[in-house]
Amino acid sequence: MSNTQLRLDRTQNVPIYRQLYQRLREAMADGRLPPGKRVPSVRSLASELNLSRGTVELAYQLLVSEGYFLPRGPAGTIVSPHLPESTKPAATPETATGQEPKPGLAPPLPFQLGLPALDAFPNKLWTRLTHRRLRAQTSAELNYPPPTGHPALKRALVTYLGVSRGIACQPEQIFITDSYRDSLGLICRALLKSGDSGWFEEPGYLMARERLLNEGMHLTPVGVDAEGLNVEEGLNVEEGLNVEDESRATSARFAVVTPTHQSPTGVTMTLARRQALLAWASRENAWIIEDDYDSEYRYHGHPVPALKSLDHDDRVLYAGTFSKVLFPAIKLAYLVVPLSQVAIFQQAMQRLGHGCPTLSQAVVTDFIEEGHFARHLKRMRALYKVRREHLRQALEHHLGDRIRIDLQAGGMHLLVRLADDIDDVAIASRAASAGLGGHALSAWTLTPTRQSGMLLSFTNVIDADHAHALAARLATLLE
Ligand SMILES: Cc1ncc(COP(=O)(O)O)c(C=O)c1O
């Protein structure tokens, strides 16, 4: 590792210590700084690079806190021997593709939720498809994009949803948004009004909860058990509220559910519960918002059709996203709305000045239509199955009977249950200070809970060594 390889740029607005940190991570990624190697002392690197010792110290501290470097007292500092050979920072897409990391973009944290395997995305193919689209770009494509989405992408989605999710719909029922949260915002504006109440899974997806509360919705927590949302409990809550205060319009106007892999428990909603929920919605003229964010990632058994595929009364709004099946930076998601509501949604989108970039929508269309999407999903399913198993084994090895993992049929994270007297929020916050991602289970509930656990993503756990290094770090936090 020479001075020129660590060259830093003072004209950038990224702090020098951060640039140095990034360069050292690159050096570990490509093997110039292998596991176990002693790194230069702060003093010698500072004088070699003409930096203050404080700057180098800061970069080293960051690497120590994230587990890349190990301080060994008077024997100096070494690269952690637990890091896998030349692979650790491949979790950043930049290093995975051999490109220069973009200064300023923080790499994903280990265990960070909601990310697909960023090192395994077919970047070369994506670049080729993008170039092809750019070369053929017409002046019409430079215009404002259609507010409801690119027509070709909608057509491709009609086919995909029909084949893969059992959903029969027309292109005009599909609305392209920039995220699931954007889809929720749109539903609130088009169909609901501030103060409306709805059922929300308990525990349930934190970001959806925040968005709905921000839109002025009242959320009634409804428990989740081994069969998914407990519809009976929702009905009882409703009845109780009506009895207590008849003047209050307590009836829920909507329910938000993740039937394929409940977020975060991973359970699949049974057919009986699906039918009970649909019957409730038909009876009450309520809306069901189906969040089908990761249905493609199922590792055992057959894929389950979407709840929407059983929706004969058109009460379900079906939400999908490309952030899990492609990558989050694509910022593309979609919503399928009942035919009867299409005009209302069109108006809402027009009013909001909606529209997503034409180029990325066109590239996604090509990716789907040329068969790359199906191949990519197949590869990711196989990869995640292996990565999930690595993390499960490593956690069980390092944490033993302090944890319980309920392995579900699919999903992108593990729910690691802890003894109920363990403060999972404190553990998650200690993990964050140590540079680890993941969330506390109890942060995902609306009411105080005695359930304790950690939600840990496995999608970017590169191999067994990486899994062991991460599990060992987590174990120290639990001591
Ligand atoms: C339960 C759930 N739904 C939906 C999403 C997708 O959200 P977005 O489209 O905003 O990335 C996520 C992302 O992590 C999720 O965990």
Side-chain angles (χ1 to χ4, degrees):
M1 196 181 52
S2 72
N3 186 338
T4 47
Q5 284 168 320
L6 281 176
R7 198 173 22 217
L8 307 166
D9 183 357
R10 288 178 190 278
T11 62
Q12 288 181 13
N13 56 5
V14 180
I16 295 290
Y17 83 88
R18 191 85 212 174
Q19 292 185 39
L20 179 59
Y21 158 89
Q22 194 59 45
R23 293 290 179 277
L24 289 165
R25 283 201 53 181
E26 283 167 45
M28 288 182 280
D30 62 22
R32 278 175 288 143
L33 261 184
K37 182 162 170 83
R38 194 168 161 193
V39 297
S41 71
V42 169
R43 194 169 46 170
S44 72
L45 193 61
S47 89
E48 198 184 340
L49 298 174
N50 198 17
L51 298 173
S52 76
R53 278 199 224 168
T55 302
V56 178
E57 191 92 55
L58 217 53
Y60 276 30
Q61 271 170 11
L62 202 56
L63 290 159
V64 169
S65 73
E66 292 183 0
Y68 293 107
F69 281 6
L70 268 188
R72 284 273 166 95
T77 298
I78 60 165
V79 177
S80 167
H82 305 300
L83 290 185
E85 261 331 313
S86 318
T87 52
K88 181 71 188 347
T92 59
E94 296 88 359
T95 50
T97 55
Q99 294 164 7
E100 267 291 286
K102 317 282 183 290
L105 288 184
L109 297 176
F111 300 136
Q112 188 175 326
L113 292 172
L115 294 182
L118 299 181
D119 61 321
F121 186 73
N123 262 307
K124 271 202 187 123
L125 169 64
W126 193 259
T127 308
R128 185 161 60 74
L129 296 182
T130 308
H131 280 172
R132 196 178 68 192
R133 272 284 167 188
L134 271 172
R135 279 196 300 273
Q137 192 160 257
T138 62
S139 53
E141 288 165 25
L142 301 179
N143 198 351
Y144 284 101
T148 66
H150 196 305
L153 178 56
K154 295 187 194 192
R155 287 194 297 273
L157 279 169
V158 165
T159 310
Y160 166 72
L161 291 172
V163 173
S164 297
R165 310 297 302 123
I167 296 172
C169 64
Q170 312 289 328
E172 65 266 30
Q173 286 175 264
I174 299 186
F175 292 81
I176 308 296
T177 65
D178 76 20
S179 60
Y180 170 55
R181 278 173 270 178
D182 190 24
S183 299
L184 284 177
L186 187 64
I187 294 170
C188 291
R189 273 141 221 248
L191 293 185
L192 304 169
K193 57 181 189 321
S194 185
D196 276 353
S197 57
W199 293 356
F200 198 77
E201 291 169 329
E202 178 84 337
Y205 179 41
L206 180 66
M207 302 301 182
R209 174 180 100 194
E210 296 304 305
R211 180 62 192 247
L212 290 166
L213 292 174
N214 255 311
E215 296 281 348
M217 302 298 137
H218 286 296
L219 299 180
T220 305
V222 177
V224 169
D225 59 23
E227 295 181 49
L229 182 90
N230 190 337
V231 180
E232 195 71 21
E233 183 187 312
L235 297 174
N236 290 341
V237 169
E238 210 108 305
E239 223 161 70
L241 288 173
N242 284 325
V243 169
E244 275 168 28
D245 180 0
E246 283 198 12
S247 63
R248 262 180 72 187
T250 50
S251 304
R253 296 268 299 117
F254 64 95
V256 185
V257 283
T258 46
T260 308
H261 306 132
Q262 200 273 331
S263 172
T265 62
V267 303
T268 302
M269 194 190 250
T270 57
L271 182 61
R273 287 277 174 86
R274 287 170 191 239
Q275 285 168 337
L277 186 64
L278 288 164
W280 163 77
S282 298
R283 222 170 36 240
E284 301 293 328
N285 267 338
W287 298 111
I288 298 171
I289 301 169
E290 176 177 16
D291 172 11
D292 206 29
Y293 65 109
D294 72 347
S295 60
E296 292 83 358
Y297 299 136
R298 203 164 170 90
Y299 315 113
H300 297 289
H302 295 295
V304 273
L307 174 66
K308 177 74 188 159
S309 68
L310 303 171
D311 177 28
H312 305 301
D313 276 348
D314 251 2
R315 303 310 309 171
V316 178
L317 296 121
Y318 175 91
T321 177
F322 286 109
S323 63
K324 314 288 157 246
V325 287
L326 294 178
F327 52 95
I330 189 84
K331 291 297 287 178
L332 287 176
Y334 50 93
L335 182 66
V336 183
V337 313
L339 256 183
S340 58
Q341 306 302 315
V342 165
I344 291 174
F345 275 86
Q346 282 171 343
Q347 286 156 15
M349 280 193 129
Q350 199 86 45
R351 266 202 317 276
L352 291 168
H354 220 284
C356 295
T358 300
L359 177 63
S360 39
Q361 293 186 72
V363 176
V364 173
T365 309
D366 293 343
F367 195 76
I368 296 174
E369 290 194 329
E370 293 172 22
H372 306 301
F373 188 50
R375 276 191 291 277
H376 178 59
L377 288 176
K378 193 168 169 209
R379 277 184 51 232
M380 291 306 101
R381 257 193 303 273
L383 182 71
Y384 292 170
K385 191 173 176 181
V386 173
R387 289 187 172 182
R388 183 172 81 151
E389 191 51 20
H390 282 151
L391 185 59
R392 186 187 69 79
Q393 285 182 7
L395 289 169
E396 285 181 347
H397 176 81
H398 290 273
L399 289 151
D401 53 12
R402 283 183 285 169
I403 59 164
R404 197 188 80 231
I405 300 174
D406 305 327
L407 215 54
Q408 301 292 351
M412 299 171 75
H413 66 258
L414 289 178
L415 168 51
V416 178
R417 295 202 183 260
L418 303 168
D420 288 343
D421 57 349
I422 291 186
D423 181 353
D424 56 356
V425 173
I427 304 238
S429 123
R430 257 187 266 159
S433 313
L436 296 176
H439 281 185
L441 172 63
S442 60
W444 285 44
T445 55
L446 274 159
T447 42
T449 173
R450 293 200 48 238
Q451 289 186 33
S452 176
M454 290 291 295
L455 309 172
L456 305 174
S457 166
F458 53 76
T459 51
N460 285 287
V461 175
I462 311 269
D463 55 20
D465 287 347
H466 190 199
H468 276 281
L470 292 175
R473 284 169 69 189
L474 198 64
T476 60
L477 297 175
L478 271 162
E479 266 155 22

